[in-house]
Amino acid sequence: MQNIAMRSVLHFCAAATLASTAVSPAAGDSVGGRQSTRQQASENTMQQHPYVGMWVTDDGRVRHQLLPNGRYDEARGNRESAYRGRYEVVGSHIEYWDDTGFTADGDFVDGNTLHHGGMVLRRK
């Protein structure tokens, strides 16, 4: 009888341990295609910053589309979507992470001017 009681206790402990490590659908990780809480918060912040939109060099050759979801799409000359990746704005500073691993940064000098990689881009 003692073996049966001990097994029941062990089964209960194992079930409690498994239950405490289970991930609910409301949990914030990217399980089954769901976004993490941190990524959702970052995307909400990106949607709220004042720099979302199109930024273009004076000659129109380089065009950065800063999307509200924290992604960007850069066109160069006739090459649409020459570079794509994610970006993050902190204050007036922007960091870019290209999907291929290239990184870059820039600074918004005012609400309509972005200095990036030796270029001046203006809001369109």
Side-chain angles (χ1 to χ4, degrees):
M1 196 64 154
Q2 194 173 14
N3 266 349
I4 293 173
M6 184 58 94
R7 272 195 228 139
S8 295
V9 169
L10 288 175
H11 284 259
F12 174 79
C13 290
T17 300
L18 287 174
S20 70
T21 60
V23 178
S24 72
D29 284 312
S30 61
V31 175
R34 288 182 294 277
Q35 296 176 323
S36 72
T37 303
R38 182 175 178 216
Q39 184 177 0
Q40 287 174 344
S42 175
E43 287 181 6
N44 290 340
T45 301
M46 289 291 116
Q47 290 173 359
Q48 295 170 8
H49 78 73
Y51 305 117
V52 168
M54 181 64 77
W55 296 83
V56 181
T57 56
D58 289 338
D59 63 4
R61 181 168 157 29
V62 177
R63 300 168 305 281
H64 287 192
Q65 179 72 40
L66 301 181
L67 303 169
N69 64 356
R71 300 279 300 166
Y72 75 92
D73 191 320
E74 179 179 327
R76 295 233 172 184
N78 293 330
R79 194 170 157 215
E80 296 297 323
S81 299
Y83 302 99
R84 290 181 176 168
R86 67 182 182 88
Y87 73 93
E88 188 172 302
V89 175
V90 177
S92 61
H93 185 77
I94 185 168
E95 295 279 339
Y96 296 91
W97 292 271
D98 185 272
D99 289 341
T100 65
F102 179 79
T103 62
D105 67 348
D107 292 290
F108 296 94
V109 296
D110 60 40
N112 294 307
T113 310
L114 167 61
H115 289 183
H116 163 73
M119 298 177 285
V120 176
L121 292 94
R122 302 192 194 284
R123 181 186 297 278
K124 288 291 176 190

